[in-house]
Amino acid sequence: QQPVQSPQAVILREGEDAVINCSSSKALYSVHWYRQKHGEAPIFLMILLKGGEQKGHDKISASFNEKKQQSSLYLTASQLSYSGTYFCGTGNSGNTPLVFGKGTRLSVIA
Amino acid sequence: DVKVTQSSRYLVKRTGEKVFLECVQDMDHENMFWYRQDPGLGLRLIYFSYDVKMKEKGDIPEGYSVSREKKERFSLILESASTNQTSMYLCASSLCRKGGQGCFDTEAFFGQGTRLTVV
């Protein structure tokens, strides 16, 4: 069952912050985040494996609330290069593949 | 540099044709996947494989089959192409991280995609 991402789309000005949410109706073991630019392959951003785990990379970070079965991706002081579609992928247990959400289209304008 | 290579970027086929989409990875990954990407629907899993000669159905396997005879190669087959199979097809691979409950996916590496048009 696909995780639900929100919002579906967001437009930001450079320097603004954004939050993308990903929630699942099933218990989660892991959450993956990917970004896909137009015409390109999705690129891995980060994996969160434990409840309450937070990870960061430059000005992009994420949290994982295992109890609420959800994860959030935080983009701080957005740059033009952050534009793209962000996907979360959720893993429920071993020997089951990731299930991806429908994506959140992020557009950063000058 | 890690690489997942899909045989074609663009493909145009006629309805009823048998279509082969090839994917090769050079990272010695156990896990390989085929996704279909359509606007507004995200990445939907067609088939996956956690080992050579092993294959499992994903969420939308109807009309497709796969083959994994070698670890590095995972082929998607459209037995009789139809217009509703016009889409972007993405192949991915990942390492298997073994845990108490079996194999868990690590970072996935995606190919550039094949845009298939069935006319």
Side-chain angles (χ1 to χ4, degrees), chain A residues 21-51:
Chain A
N21 299 304
C22 173
S23 62
S24 173
S25 58
K26 291 185 169 185
L28 297 177
Y29 176 86
S30 66
V31 179
H32 297 218
W33 285 97
Y34 292 80
R35 176 172 63 207
Q36 184 181 30
K37 292 184 178 288
H38 184 68
E40 298 180 9
I43 299 295
F44 170 80
L45 293 175
M46 62 189 81
I47 295 178
L48 300 103
L49 289 175
K50 299 177 188 176

mmCIF file of all heavy atoms in Angstrom, chain A residues 21-51:
data_model
loop_
_atom_site.group_PDB
_atom_site.id
_atom_site.type_symbol
_atom_site.label_atom_id
_atom_site.label_comp_id
_atom_site.label_asym_id
_atom_site.label_seq_id
_atom_site.Cartn_x
_atom_site.Cartn_y
_atom_site.Cartn_z
ATOM 1 N N ASN A 21 5.816 15.589 4.015
ATOM 2 C CA ASN A 21 5.421 14.520 4.923
ATOM 3 C C ASN A 21 5.122 13.223 4.188
ATOM 4 O O ASN A 21 4.676 13.228 3.039
ATOM 5 C CB ASN A 21 4.192 14.941 5.727
ATOM 6 C CG ASN A 21 4.464 16.155 6.575
ATOM 7 O OD1 ASN A 21 5.386 16.164 7.388
ATOM 8 N ND2 ASN A 21 3.692 17.215 6.364
ATOM 9 N N CYS A 22 5.360 12.130 4.894
ATOM 10 C CA CYS A 22 5.133 10.805 4.337
ATOM 11 C C CYS A 22 4.529 9.949 5.437
ATOM 12 O O CYS A 22 5.141 9.801 6.494
ATOM 13 C CB CYS A 22 6.464 10.226 3.869
ATOM 14 S SG CYS A 22 6.420 8.515 3.321
ATOM 15 N N SER A 23 3.340 9.417 5.209
ATOM 16 C CA SER A 23 2.719 8.616 6.253
ATOM 17 C C SER A 23 2.233 7.287 5.688
ATOM 18 O O SER A 23 1.835 7.194 4.526
ATOM 19 C CB SER A 23 1.560 9.368 6.906
ATOM 20 O OG SER A 23 0.561 9.631 5.964
ATOM 21 N N SER A 24 2.267 6.282 6.545
ATOM 22 C CA SER A 24 1.903 4.932 6.132
ATOM 23 C C SER A 24 0.834 4.369 7.043
ATOM 24 O O SER A 24 0.764 4.709 8.223
ATOM 25 C CB SER A 24 3.147 4.039 6.176
ATOM 26 O OG SER A 24 2.813 2.691 5.938
ATOM 27 N N SER A 25 0.008 3.493 6.493
ATOM 28 C CA SER A 25 -1.019 2.834 7.303
ATOM 29 C C SER A 25 -0.458 1.567 7.955
ATOM 30 O O SER A 25 -1.129 0.922 8.743
ATOM 31 C CB SER A 25 -2.225 2.475 6.434
ATOM 32 O OG SER A 25 -1.825 1.630 5.370
ATOM 33 N N LYS A 26 0.783 1.231 7.615
ATOM 34 C CA LYS A 26 1.407 0.028 8.163
ATOM 35 C C LYS A 26 2.588 0.397 9.039
ATOM 36 O O LYS A 26 3.197 1.463 8.868
ATOM 37 C CB LYS A 26 1.909 -0.876 7.040
ATOM 38 C CG LYS A 26 0.842 -1.530 6.207
ATOM 39 C CD LYS A 26 1.508 -2.488 5.210
ATOM 40 C CE LYS A 26 0.485 -3.356 4.529
ATOM 41 N NZ LYS A 26 1.121 -4.351 3.655
ATOM 42 N N ALA A 27 2.949 -0.526 9.942
ATOM 43 C CA ALA A 27 4.141 -0.315 10.764
ATOM 44 C C ALA A 27 5.366 -0.269 9.858
ATOM 45 O O ALA A 27 5.484 -1.038 8.911
ATOM 46 C CB ALA A 27 4.281 -1.450 11.769
ATOM 47 N N LEU A 28 6.253 0.645 10.156
ATOM 48 C CA LEU A 28 7.420 0.870 9.303
ATOM 49 C C LEU A 28 8.707 0.391 9.944
ATOM 50 O O LEU A 28 8.918 0.562 11.145
ATOM 51 C CB LEU A 28 7.551 2.361 8.980
ATOM 52 C CG LEU A 28 6.406 2.992 8.182
ATOM 53 C CD1 LEU A 28 6.654 4.477 8.014
ATOM 54 C CD2 LEU A 28 6.251 2.304 6.837
ATOM 55 N N TYR A 29 9.545 -0.193 9.111
ATOM 56 C CA TYR A 29 10.900 -0.522 9.554
ATOM 57 C C TYR A 29 11.873 0.552 9.092
ATOM 58 O O TYR A 29 12.817 0.894 9.798
ATOM 59 C CB TYR A 29 11.318 -1.882 8.987
ATOM 60 C CG TYR A 29 12.740 -2.242 9.314
ATOM 61 C CD1 TYR A 29 13.050 -2.868 10.517
ATOM 62 C CD2 TYR A 29 13.782 -1.949 8.425
ATOM 63 C CE1 TYR A 29 14.362 -3.183 10.832
ATOM 64 C CE2 TYR A 29 15.082 -2.261 8.737
ATOM 65 C CZ TYR A 29 15.370 -2.878 9.936
ATOM 66 O OH TYR A 29 16.675 -3.186 10.253
ATOM 67 N N SER A 30 11.629 1.079 7.899
ATOM 68 C CA SER A 30 12.549 2.072 7.356
ATOM 69 C C SER A 30 11.809 3.030 6.438
ATOM 70 O O SER A 30 10.731 2.718 5.927
ATOM 71 C CB SER A 30 13.667 1.386 6.564
ATOM 72 O OG SER A 30 13.141 0.750 5.413
ATOM 73 N N VAL A 31 12.414 4.203 6.274
ATOM 74 C CA VAL A 31 11.910 5.184 5.320
ATOM 75 C C VAL A 31 13.096 5.673 4.488
ATOM 76 O O VAL A 31 14.146 6.012 5.030
ATOM 77 C CB VAL A 31 11.244 6.385 6.023
ATOM 78 C CG1 VAL A 31 10.763 7.390 4.981
ATOM 79 C CG2 VAL A 31 10.079 5.915 6.893
ATOM 80 N N HIS A 32 12.914 5.684 3.189
ATOM 81 C CA HIS A 32 13.932 6.197 2.264
ATOM 82 C C HIS A 32 13.403 7.459 1.622
ATOM 83 O O HIS A 32 12.211 7.563 1.340
ATOM 84 C CB HIS A 32 14.201 5.184 1.136
ATOM 85 C CG HIS A 32 14.749 3.872 1.572
ATOM 86 N ND1 HIS A 32 15.696 3.198 0.835
ATOM 87 C CD2 HIS A 32 14.480 3.080 2.637
ATOM 88 C CE1 HIS A 32 15.990 2.058 1.440
ATOM 89 N NE2 HIS A 32 15.256 1.958 2.520
ATOM 90 N N TRP A 33 14.308 8.396 1.327
ATOM 91 C CA TRP A 33 13.930 9.601 0.592
ATOM 92 C C TRP A 33 14.792 9.732 -0.661
ATOM 93 O O TRP A 33 16.018 9.540 -0.603
ATOM 94 C CB TRP A 33 14.097 10.838 1.466
ATOM 95 C CG TRP A 33 13.043 10.990 2.510
ATOM 96 C CD1 TRP A 33 13.109 10.620 3.822
ATOM 97 C CD2 TRP A 33 11.741 11.561 2.319
ATOM 98 N NE1 TRP A 33 11.920 10.911 4.471
ATOM 99 C CE2 TRP A 33 11.068 11.499 3.562
ATOM 100 C CE3 TRP A 33 11.062 12.125 1.225
ATOM 101 C CZ2 TRP A 33 9.776 11.971 3.742
ATOM 102 C CZ3 TRP A 33 9.781 12.591 1.409
ATOM 103 C CH2 TRP A 33 9.145 12.518 2.656
ATOM 104 N N TYR A 34 14.141 10.078 -1.784
ATOM 105 C CA TYR A 34 14.810 10.250 -3.065
ATOM 106 C C TYR A 34 14.347 11.553 -3.702
ATOM 107 O O TYR A 34 13.221 12.019 -3.460
ATOM 108 C CB TYR A 34 14.473 9.080 -4.017
ATOM 109 C CG TYR A 34 15.056 7.766 -3.592
ATOM 110 C CD1 TYR A 34 14.438 7.021 -2.602
ATOM 111 C CD2 TYR A 34 16.227 7.280 -4.157
ATOM 112 C CE1 TYR A 34 14.976 5.811 -2.186
ATOM 113 C CE2 TYR A 34 16.765 6.068 -3.748
ATOM 114 C CZ TYR A 34 16.138 5.345 -2.755
ATOM 115 O OH TYR A 34 16.676 4.159 -2.340
ATOM 116 N N ARG A 35 15.192 12.116 -4.542
ATOM 117 C CA ARG A 35 14.823 13.292 -5.321
ATOM 118 C C ARG A 35 15.055 12.969 -6.802
ATOM 119 O O ARG A 35 16.088 12.402 -7.170
ATOM 120 C CB ARG A 35 15.659 14.506 -4.942
ATOM 121 C CG ARG A 35 15.367 15.733 -5.797
ATOM 122 C CD ARG A 35 16.071 16.965 -5.275
ATOM 123 N NE ARG A 35 17.507 16.853 -5.318
ATOM 124 C CZ ARG A 35 18.330 17.517 -4.482
ATOM 125 N NH1 ARG A 35 17.833 18.299 -3.546
ATOM 126 N NH2 ARG A 35 19.629 17.369 -4.596
ATOM 127 N N GLN A 36 14.090 13.376 -7.610
ATOM 128 C CA GLN A 36 14.202 13.170 -9.052
ATOM 129 C C GLN A 36 14.041 14.499 -9.771
ATOM 130 O O GLN A 36 13.006 15.147 -9.647
ATOM 131 C CB GLN A 36 13.136 12.180 -9.535
ATOM 132 C CG GLN A 36 13.234 11.838 -11.007
ATOM 133 C CD GLN A 36 12.153 10.868 -11.455
ATOM 134 O OE1 GLN A 36 11.054 10.852 -10.902
ATOM 135 N NE2 GLN A 36 12.462 10.052 -12.447
ATOM 136 N N LYS A 37 15.072 14.862 -10.518
ATOM 137 C CA LYS A 37 14.963 16.055 -11.351
ATOM 138 C C LYS A 37 14.371 15.647 -12.695
ATOM 139 O O LYS A 37 14.475 14.492 -13.111
ATOM 140 C CB LYS A 37 16.330 16.704 -11.511
ATOM 141 C CG LYS A 37 16.846 17.311 -10.205
ATOM 142 C CD LYS A 37 18.157 18.022 -10.401
ATOM 143 C CE LYS A 37 18.631 18.662 -9.111
ATOM 144 N NZ LYS A 37 17.826 19.842 -8.733
ATOM 145 N N HIS A 38 13.793 16.621 -13.355
ATOM 146 C CA HIS A 38 13.081 16.343 -14.600
ATOM 147 C C HIS A 38 13.998 15.670 -15.618
ATOM 148 O O HIS A 38 15.088 16.154 -15.908
ATOM 149 C CB HIS A 38 12.525 17.651 -15.176
ATOM 150 C CG HIS A 38 11.711 17.440 -16.405
ATOM 151 N ND1 HIS A 38 10.486 16.804 -16.393
ATOM 152 C CD2 HIS A 38 11.956 17.745 -17.698
ATOM 153 C CE1 HIS A 38 10.014 16.745 -17.602
ATOM 154 N NE2 HIS A 38 10.884 17.313 -18.416
ATOM 155 N N GLY A 39 13.560 14.533 -16.123
ATOM 156 C CA GLY A 39 14.329 13.827 -17.145
ATOM 157 C C GLY A 39 15.493 13.013 -16.612
ATOM 158 O O GLY A 39 16.275 12.465 -17.398
ATOM 159 N N GLU A 40 15.610 12.939 -15.291
ATOM 160 C CA GLU A 40 16.731 12.206 -14.711
ATOM 161 C C GLU A 40 16.226 11.064 -13.829
ATOM 162 O O GLU A 40 15.040 10.965 -13.509
ATOM 163 C CB GLU A 40 17.609 13.148 -13.881
ATOM 164 C CG GLU A 40 18.236 14.255 -14.696
ATOM 165 C CD GLU A 40 19.106 15.179 -13.842
ATOM 166 O OE1 GLU A 40 19.351 14.854 -12.661
ATOM 167 O OE2 GLU A 40 19.533 16.212 -14.373
ATOM 168 N N ALA A 41 17.163 10.214 -13.417
ATOM 169 C CA ALA A 41 16.826 9.111 -12.517
ATOM 170 C C ALA A 41 16.682 9.624 -11.085
ATOM 171 O O ALA A 41 17.329 10.606 -10.704
ATOM 172 C CB ALA A 41 17.926 8.054 -12.563
ATOM 173 N N PRO A 42 15.860 8.990 -10.286
ATOM 174 C CA PRO A 42 15.801 9.365 -8.855
ATOM 175 C C PRO A 42 17.153 9.140 -8.189
ATOM 176 O O PRO A 42 17.855 8.170 -8.493
ATOM 177 C CB PRO A 42 14.740 8.410 -8.283
ATOM 178 C CG PRO A 42 13.927 7.976 -9.458
ATOM 179 C CD PRO A 42 14.880 7.945 -10.605
ATOM 180 N N ILE A 43 17.495 10.057 -7.289
ATOM 181 C CA ILE A 43 18.768 9.978 -6.571
ATOM 182 C C ILE A 43 18.481 9.837 -5.083
ATOM 183 O O ILE A 43 17.650 10.556 -4.528
ATOM 184 C CB ILE A 43 19.610 11.241 -6.816
ATOM 185 C CG1 ILE A 43 19.932 11.390 -8.292
ATOM 186 C CG2 ILE A 43 20.898 11.202 -5.996
ATOM 187 C CD1 ILE A 43 20.810 10.291 -8.856
ATOM 188 N N PHE A 44 19.206 8.935 -4.458
ATOM 189 C CA PHE A 44 19.039 8.672 -3.040
ATOM 190 C C PHE A 44 19.450 9.883 -2.199
ATOM 191 O O PHE A 44 20.477 10.515 -2.458
ATOM 192 C CB PHE A 44 19.909 7.466 -2.672
ATOM 193 C CG PHE A 44 20.032 7.193 -1.214
ATOM 194 C CD1 PHE A 44 19.024 6.534 -0.544
ATOM 195 C CD2 PHE A 44 21.166 7.575 -0.519
ATOM 196 C CE1 PHE A 44 19.143 6.251 0.803
ATOM 197 C CE2 PHE A 44 21.303 7.292 0.824
ATOM 198 C CZ PHE A 44 20.287 6.642 1.485
ATOM 199 N N LEU A 45 18.646 10.205 -1.193
ATOM 200 C CA LEU A 45 18.996 11.262 -0.248
ATOM 201 C C LEU A 45 19.399 10.669 1.103
ATOM 202 O O LEU A 45 20.474 10.957 1.614
ATOM 203 C CB LEU A 45 17.809 12.217 -0.056
ATOM 204 C CG LEU A 45 17.411 13.053 -1.266
ATOM 205 C CD1 LEU A 45 16.158 13.862 -0.968
ATOM 206 C CD2 LEU A 45 18.551 13.963 -1.701
ATOM 207 N N MET A 46 18.538 9.864 1.682
ATOM 208 C CA MET A 46 18.849 9.283 2.985
ATOM 209 C C MET A 46 17.887 8.161 3.349
ATOM 210 O O MET A 46 16.803 8.051 2.790
ATOM 211 C CB MET A 46 18.824 10.349 4.082
ATOM 212 C CG MET A 46 17.496 11.018 4.281
ATOM 213 S SD MET A 46 17.629 12.427 5.393
ATOM 214 C CE MET A 46 18.233 13.688 4.293
ATOM 215 N N ILE A 47 18.360 7.323 4.285
ATOM 216 C CA ILE A 47 17.533 6.266 4.873
ATOM 217 C C ILE A 47 17.419 6.540 6.357
ATOM 218 O O ILE A 47 18.400 6.901 7.008
ATOM 219 C CB ILE A 47 18.175 4.875 4.721
ATOM 220 C CG1 ILE A 47 18.294 4.449 3.281
ATOM 221 C CG2 ILE A 47 17.357 3.829 5.470
ATOM 222 C CD1 ILE A 47 18.977 3.097 3.121
ATOM 223 N N LEU A 48 16.217 6.330 6.895
ATOM 224 C CA LEU A 48 16.026 6.388 8.338
ATOM 225 C C LEU A 48 15.555 5.026 8.786
ATOM 226 O O LEU A 48 14.593 4.481 8.254
ATOM 227 C CB LEU A 48 15.006 7.464 8.714
ATOM 228 C CG LEU A 48 15.427 8.859 8.277
ATOM 229 C CD1 LEU A 48 14.663 9.284 7.049
ATOM 230 C CD2 LEU A 48 15.249 9.854 9.394
ATOM 231 N N LEU A 49 16.273 4.485 9.786
ATOM 232 C CA LEU A 49 16.020 3.095 10.153
ATOM 233 C C LEU A 49 15.374 2.909 11.518
ATOM 234 O O LEU A 49 14.776 1.905 11.778
ATOM 235 C CB LEU A 49 17.324 2.301 10.141
ATOM 236 C CG LEU A 49 17.911 2.045 8.767
ATOM 237 C CD1 LEU A 49 19.253 1.362 8.887
ATOM 238 C CD2 LEU A 49 16.962 1.190 7.939
ATOM 239 N N LYS A 50 15.522 3.869 12.396
ATOM 240 C CA LYS A 50 15.007 3.654 13.728
ATOM 241 C C LYS A 50 13.952 4.680 14.074
ATOM 242 O O LYS A 50 13.982 5.790 13.588
ATOM 243 C CB LYS A 50 16.127 3.769 14.744
ATOM 244 C CG LYS A 50 17.231 2.759 14.564
ATOM 245 C CD LYS A 50 18.329 3.029 15.587
ATOM 246 C CE LYS A 50 19.540 2.169 15.304
ATOM 247 N NZ LYS A 50 20.645 2.498 16.224
ATOM 248 N N GLY A 51 13.068 4.291 14.935
ATOM 249 C CA GLY A 51 12.086 5.246 15.391
ATOM 250 C C GLY A 51 12.758 6.425 16.041
ATOM 251 O O GLY A 51 13.649 6.252 16.859
#
